[in-house]
Amino acid sequence: MQWTNSYSLEQTGEFLKAVRKKKGITQNEFAQTIGVSHATLSALENGKSVSTQTLDKALNFLGMRLIIVEKTAKVTVGQNDSVAMRNN
């Protein structure tokens, strides 16, 4: 399982790009599969503003999900895809 902490759109885009490349998918293939233009996918991977629908399509295609927690939360991610949060 691959995951990351992301505190910016730039970090999220870099992570998605790395996962896409690791899976051997070109930008053109990825854009076509999720139904967006090459320019839109490039914007996503470069941390520019895109719709949440585009982000959702990209995450779903890559087999990932977005989990939002407070920056100060202590989070543990297990192999069964569960997320456990502890109060500070």
Side-chain angles (χ1 to χ4, degrees):
M1 173 180 2
Q2 187 175 4
W3 66 279
T4 190
N5 285 321
S6 179
Y7 296 98
S8 69
L9 293 175
E10 291 82 9
Q11 287 177 328
T12 300
E14 289 172 12
F15 179 72
L16 293 174
K17 182 178 182 178
V19 172
R20 172 184 60 77
K21 286 183 170 186
K22 185 175 180 179
K23 292 181 178 261
I25 303 166
T26 67
Q27 250 189 350
N28 286 332
E29 292 169 331
F30 193 21
Q32 186 175 27
T33 301
I34 66 172
V36 299
S37 69
H38 182 274
T40 298
L41 181 60
S42 180
L44 172 64
E45 290 186 347
N46 287 299
K48 306 298 181 200
S49 181
V50 298
S51 73
T52 54
Q53 289 176 322
T54 298
L55 176 60
D56 186 56
K57 287 178 187 179
L59 290 167
N60 282 323
F61 178 74
L62 294 173
M64 310 194 88
R65 65 181 170 172
L66 179 66
I67 299 170
I68 300 171
V69 296
E70 293 179 11
K71 285 183 179 181
T72 58
K74 296 185 191 267
V75 178
T76 304
V77 178
Q79 288 183 329
N80 64 356
D81 288 337
S82 66
V83 176
M85 291 178 30
R86 295 174 290 173
N87 291 330
N88 287 339

